[in-house]
């Protein structure tokens, strides 16, 4: 959570930083701030609220500087307020820092500093970093950063300026992402690529405990013993366009609409040629006796869908799916015969990272499905395959989820073949089916007007339930999560057969029950469940390709294109995403930045 950016170069850093913060706002948006280097001291402006609040103050107090750092915050320690916003300065105003992460031992450090007479201005954990840096500063900022880092427990990506050092911007990281971008006019640090993409696509990925020193004309890297190290410069192939809204009202809608393209790219990367394909082909699944899938939020839901697919196509005896926040503490029964699959858009989710490390510590082989190249999970997993979703800016995931599913499908098909559970002719027909997903999603887009109209009539529902059986239940989980996170409508997902075991008591007049129905063999069962809620006053929206229902004032239908049942979640989810989007849009909500959420959950 939180986004940081820094710039040193020949241009005015202020608009560069503000523009970068706009691209990072998805990481946190309860307050923002900027500090720039000035001969008379740092110029600092910090404002609670959205970035526009900060911009308004900056417009009234314009300043210029060749070097600055900026921050957009998702509060963890200390409420969102001007004073708790970053950057934080030491009491002598000599060192300014921006921090993404959590300092777990901040209380202890703060007490020590207070005993030495240091007065704190904020309630944040981050301020201890600035205060500690001032305490240890001995004229050499790199020595200081090394010494400070040695005292910090927790996670951090830090941008640091020192008043004695007009030329150098310093950064260091541990367990939170940080990239270094280089351009003709100057150099950057940032939490993520979109923040600097309008200036450069040439980046270095900083690894844990590495320190970087940026100046106008160059960049240097050091290890924690202050020895110079060399790093590989990478080229990002994301277009600038992919990090902009491109005429859509919200990133979320744009990202929903991008799904046919990114799915085509992801499927071909896994099926035709390239690193994804090589990795998938190289995994000898027969070596393992268990697959454990773990992730958080929507990525976990993708894992739940995939469990049904792995079970059906691989007939593997032991397949588990577990929330990473539970997995990490459950004393998982895994060993070197377990393949642990980790799923993460950002590659930086704290619980998923912890699950990865726990799995490795127990000798399991780890396979990560990640969107962000250079992220912690991507780097630490034994194998990493990448979703070709491009930058996903809206906090609620759509295209990353769909591409995760696509890679999981490919894994299941390929593993099923290697295990001898899928004959070659069935493999080719499954792959042919998979390749129809993009065009079938485009066909769903022809019904956007209907979905929009239907959703606009749903804004007053207090409760919306999602039901399904088998794989339809798995995707119902994602429909429900999507709706609640962006429209703030209370929503739950239930397996159809569970309704009568309790949840049906919640059904009354004016309850909407979205009924997923692409499992043909179970249609009569889910239809009965739908009838049971209709007879208790609920309205039902069927979404699926297996349903033949008569519509009425109580019953509506969004019929999906036909597809293999196991791949139907890829189609259903698009309707569920659009439905949630339009409910939220009709409520006039801030869809790309839902309250209390952040894109990258880098804290527990
Ligand atoms: C929901 C959503 C979140 C993420 C979850 C995991 O729309 O986006 O539930 O799926 O926070 O994030 P990653 O995939 O980055 O590990």
């Amino acid at each position: 959570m939180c986004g940081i950016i820094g710039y040193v170069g020949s241009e005015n850093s202020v608009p560069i930083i503000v523009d970068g913060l706009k691209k990072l706002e998805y990481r946190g948006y309860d307050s923002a701030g900027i500090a720039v280097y000035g001969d008379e001291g740092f110029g600092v402006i910090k404002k609670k609220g959205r970035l526009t609040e900060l911009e308004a103050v900056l417009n009234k107090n314009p300043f210029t500087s060749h070097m600055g750092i900026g921050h957009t915050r998702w509060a963890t320690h200390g409420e969102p307020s001007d004073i708790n916003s970053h950057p934080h300065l030491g009491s002598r105003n000599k060192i300014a820092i921006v921090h993404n992460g959590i300092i777990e031992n901040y209380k202890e450090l703060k007490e020590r500093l207070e005993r030495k007479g240091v007065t704190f201005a904020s309630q944040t954990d981050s301020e201890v970093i600035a205060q500690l840096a001032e305490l240890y500063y001995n004229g050499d900022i790199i020595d200081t950063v090394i010494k400070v880092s040695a005292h910090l427990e927790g996670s951090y990506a830090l941008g640091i300026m020192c008043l004695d050092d007009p030329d150098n911007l310093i950064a260091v990281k541990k367990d939170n992402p940080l990239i270094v971008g280089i351009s003709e006019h100057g150099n950057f640090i940032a939490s993520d690529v979109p923040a600097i993409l309008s200036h450069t696509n040439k980046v270095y990925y900083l690894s844990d405990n590495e320190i970087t020193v940026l100046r106008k004309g160059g960049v240097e890297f050091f290890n924690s013993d202050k020895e110079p190290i060399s790093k590989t410069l990478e080229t990002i192939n994301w277009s600038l366009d992919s990090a902009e809204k491109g005429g859509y009202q919200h990133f979320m809608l744009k990202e929903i609409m991008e799904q046919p393209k990114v799915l085509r790219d992801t499927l071909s990367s896994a099926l035709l040629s390239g690193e994804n394909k090589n990795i998938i082909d190289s995994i000898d699944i027969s070596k393992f006796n268990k697959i454990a899938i773990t992730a958080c939020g929507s990525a976990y839901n993708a894992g739940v869908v995939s469990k049904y697919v792995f079970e059906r196509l691989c007939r593997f005896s032991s397949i588990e799916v577990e929330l990473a926040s539970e997995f990490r503490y459950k004393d998982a029964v895994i060993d070197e015969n377990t393949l642990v699959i980790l799923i993460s858009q950002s590659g930086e989710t704290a619980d998923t990272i912890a699950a990865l490390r726990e799995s490795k510590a127990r000798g399991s082989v780890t396979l990560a499905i990640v969107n962000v190249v250079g992220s912690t999970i991507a780097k630490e997993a034994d194998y990493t395959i990448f979703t070709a979703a491009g930058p996903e800016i809206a906090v609620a995931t759509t295209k990353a989820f769909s591409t995760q599913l696509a890679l999981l499908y490919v894994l299941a098909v390929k593993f099923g073949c290697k295990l001898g559970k899928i004959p070659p002719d069935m493999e080719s027909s499954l792959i042919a089916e998979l390749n129809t997903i993009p065009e079938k999603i485009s066909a769903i887009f022809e019904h956007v007007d209907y979905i929009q109209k239907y959703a606009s009539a749903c804004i007053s529902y207090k409760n919306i339930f999602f039901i399904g059986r088998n794989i339809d239940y798995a995707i119902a989980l994602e429909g429900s999560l999507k709706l609640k996170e962006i429209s703030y409508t209370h929503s739950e997902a239930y397996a159809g057969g569970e309704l009568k075991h309790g949840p049906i008591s919640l059904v009354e007049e004016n309850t909407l029950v979205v009924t997923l129905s692409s499992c043909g063999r179970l249609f009569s069962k889910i239809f009965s469940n739908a009838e049971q809620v209709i007879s208790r006053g609920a309205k039902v929206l069927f979404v699926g390709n297996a349903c033949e229902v008569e519509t009425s004032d109580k019953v509506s239908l969004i019929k999906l294109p036909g597809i293999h049942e196991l791949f139907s979640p890829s189609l259903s989810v698009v309707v569920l995403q659009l439905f949630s989007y339009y409910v939220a849009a009709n409520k006039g909500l801030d869809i790309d930045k839902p309250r209390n959420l952040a894109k990258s959950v880098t804290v527990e």
Side-chain angles (χ1 to χ4, degrees):
M1 337 284 260
C2 303
I4 68 173
I5 179 164
Y7 171 78
V8 54
S10 54
E11 313 235 315
N12 179 14
S13 61
V14 177
I16 291 175
I17 288 169
V18 171
D19 184 57
L21 289 178
K22 282 183 191 158
K23 309 282 172 13
L24 293 174
E25 231 189 336
Y26 71 88
R27 300 177 67 87
Y29 34 85
D30 58 42
S31 49
I34 179 168
V36 295
Y37 189 90
D39 294 335
E40 312 281 296
F42 294 119
V44 182
I45 298 198
K46 316 201 292 184
K47 276 315 282 176
K48 176 183 167 184
R50 291 288 160 90
L51 194 57
T52 44
E53 307 286 331
L54 178 73
E55 276 186 286
V57 183
L58 282 167
N59 289 340
K60 283 194 207 132
N61 309 271
F63 43 53
T64 58
S65 171
H66 67 290
M67 178 161 77
I69 50 181
H71 187 274
T72 179
R73 182 169 186 244
W74 189 88
T76 56
H77 296 71
E79 58 171 10
S81 66
D82 291 357
I83 202 78
N84 285 337
S85 310
H86 298 220
H88 290 290
L89 272 59
S91 322
R92 289 185 285 134
N93 292 333
K94 231 179 172 31
I95 287 178
I97 64 112
V98 281
H99 169 221
N100 169 30
I102 286 193
I103 303 306
E104 286 162 3
N105 60 338
Y106 86 99
K107 274 205 178 114
E108 189 189 310
L109 294 171
K110 190 169 177 174
E111 279 162 19
R112 253 173 57 195
L113 286 158
E114 280 172 339
R115 281 199 297 274
K116 288 183 188 292
V118 174
T119 312
F120 280 76
S122 77
Q123 291 90 50
T124 64
D125 55 336
S126 308
E127 191 186 339
V128 296
I129 303 167
Q131 300 288 12
L132 208 56
E134 278 200 355
L135 187 75
Y136 289 145
Y137 181 61
N138 61 355
D140 184 325
I141 189 67
I142 303 182
D143 284 345
T144 308
V145 169
I146 291 172
K147 207 160 171 192
V148 169
S149 302
H151 283 78
L152 300 179
E153 285 168 23
S155 62
Y156 49 85
L158 294 172
I160 305 156
M161 290 190 299
C162 175
L163 207 54
D164 289 349
D165 209 344
D167 298 324
N168 294 327
L169 174 63
I170 323 289
V172 62
K173 73 145 245 162
K174 182 177 156 276
D175 289 341
N176 271 319
L178 198 75
I179 57 165
V180 174
I182 57 164
S183 82
E184 304 247 298
H185 63 76
N187 298 315
F188 306 80
I189 53 163
S191 299
D192 199 358
V193 172
I196 58 172
L197 205 52
S198 56
H199 301 277
T200 181
N201 65 349
K202 300 272 186 265
V203 303
Y204 296 98
Y205 290 97
L206 211 61
S207 294
D208 281 356
N209 305 313
E210 289 177 352
I211 298 159
T212 179
V213 180
L214 292 79
R215 58 185 70 86
K216 186 182 149 196
V219 180
E220 285 176 287
F221 299 97
F222 300 92
N223 64 17
S224 52
D225 291 326
K226 211 181 168 185
E227 291 159 350
I229 50 172
S230 61
K231 293 188 66 72
T232 314
L233 186 63
E234 317 242 359
T235 303
I236 304 292
N237 59 11
W238 291 354
S239 69
L240 185 56
D241 212 32
S242 61
E244 305 280 351
K245 272 193 214 153
Y248 287 97
Q249 205 186 342
H250 297 102
F251 277 110
M252 183 176 174
L253 187 57
K254 174 179 175 253
E255 290 163 5
I256 291 172
M257 295 300 177
E258 281 171 357
Q259 288 178 110
K261 179 190 179 304
V262 297
L263 277 164
R264 248 177 232 118
D265 294 347
T266 302
L267 285 169
S268 59
S269 76
L271 293 167
L272 296 181
S273 62
E275 213 29 41
N276 278 357
K277 181 177 179 336
N278 297 343
I279 289 174
I280 294 169
D281 289 348
S282 73
I283 296 172
D284 179 6
I285 189 67
S286 62
K287 257 185 13 197
F288 302 102
N289 60 20
K290 178 171 185 171
I291 297 178
I293 303 163
T294 186
C296 298
S298 291
Y300 165 77
N301 293 340
V304 178
V305 173
S306 76
K307 181 176 193 287
Y308 288 87
V309 187
F310 281 116
E311 273 170 356
R312 286 267 286 283
L313 297 183
C314 303
R315 311 306 297 156
F316 215 77
S317 56
S318 179
I319 301 175
E320 282 179 5
V321 55
E322 182 75 85
L323 292 163
S325 51
E326 294 295 317
F327 183 96
R328 64 184 292 188
Y329 295 120
K330 82 168 186 170
D331 194 9
V333 188
I334 53 170
D335 58 22
E336 62 283 358
N337 298 316
T338 310
L339 176 68
V340 178
I341 302 181
L342 303 115
I343 311 165
S344 177
Q345 186 285 127
S346 61
E348 298 294 348
T349 300
D351 286 320
T352 315
I353 294 174
L356 166 70
R357 292 180 180 162
E358 178 68 18
S359 307
K360 289 185 80 171
R362 287 170 185 244
S364 301
V365 175
T366 52
L367 165 63
I369 297 179
V370 175
N371 194 40
V372 179
V373 176
S375 58
T376 304
I377 294 174
K379 283 193 294 198
E380 290 190 17
D382 298 312
Y383 299 101
T384 299
I385 51 176
F386 289 99
T387 46
E392 191 178 63
I393 310 290
V395 164
T397 182
T398 53
K399 60 177 181 169
F401 175 85
S402 288
T403 50
Q404 288 162 354
L405 268 191
L407 288 182
L408 289 160
Y409 290 151
V410 174
L411 285 174
V413 172
K414 294 294 176 186
F415 289 174
C417 290
K418 284 188 187 169
L419 293 166
K421 306 293 177 191
I422 298 179
D425 58 329
M426 186 175 159
E427 178 190 6
S428 34
S429 80
L430 287 169
I431 287 175
E433 280 280 279
L434 273 180
N435 282 321
T436 65
I437 294 174
E439 82 210 33
K440 287 175 181 164
I441 292 178
S442 299
I444 293 172
F445 290 157
E446 286 164 27
H447 304 288
V448 165
D449 288 351
Y450 176 80
I451 300 170
Q452 179 172 12
K453 196 159 156 239
Y454 187 89
S456 68
C458 294
I459 59 172
S460 58
Y461 287 119
K462 294 249 171 334
N463 299 301
I464 298 184
F465 298 105
F466 291 76
I467 61 169
R469 282 172 180 258
N470 201 261
I471 204 157
D472 280 331
Y473 163 58
I475 203 61
L477 294 170
E478 176 60 7
S480 170
L481 177 62
K482 208 88 307 173
L483 183 73
K484 60 168 80 87
E485 70 179 318
I486 61 167
S487 78
Y488 315 149
T489 309
H490 172 250
S491 140
E492 304 281 349
Y494 295 112
E498 270 300 293
L499 270 186
K500 289 195 288 301
H501 297 284
I504 201 161
S505 64
L506 295 169
V507 172
E508 53 186 358
E509 286 293 325
N510 234 9
T511 305
L512 175 64
V513 181
V514 179
T515 304
L516 280 302
S517 42
S518 290
C519 286
R521 66 206 159 89
L522 295 174
F523 180 65
S524 62
K525 305 282 178 200
I526 198 72
F527 187 72
S528 302
N529 296 137
E531 283 189 314
Q532 288 148 11
V533 296
I534 292 167
S535 63
R536 284 159 182 85
K539 291 196 171 161
V540 168
L541 168 66
F542 285 95
V543 177
N545 56 35
C547 36
E548 293 304 333
V549 291
E550 268 184 39
T551 57
S552 65
D553 59 333
K554 291 249 179 223
V555 177
S556 307
L557 167 67
I558 297 175
K559 186 90 193 256
L560 300 178
I563 195 158
H564 192 294
E565 183 181 305
L566 291 178
F567 307 145
S568 63
S570 289
L571 306 188
S572 318
V573 77
V574 174
V575 174
L576 302 177
Q577 292 164 350
L578 285 165
F579 173 70
S580 303
Y581 173 82
Y582 284 116
V583 171
N586 277 290
K587 285 183 162 183
L589 298 173
D590 191 352
I591 294 177
D592 287 335
K593 301 185 195 85
R595 69 183 176 210
N596 305 335
L597 294 175
K599 182 89 185 142
S600 187
V601 185
T602 54
V603 294
E604 268 195 73

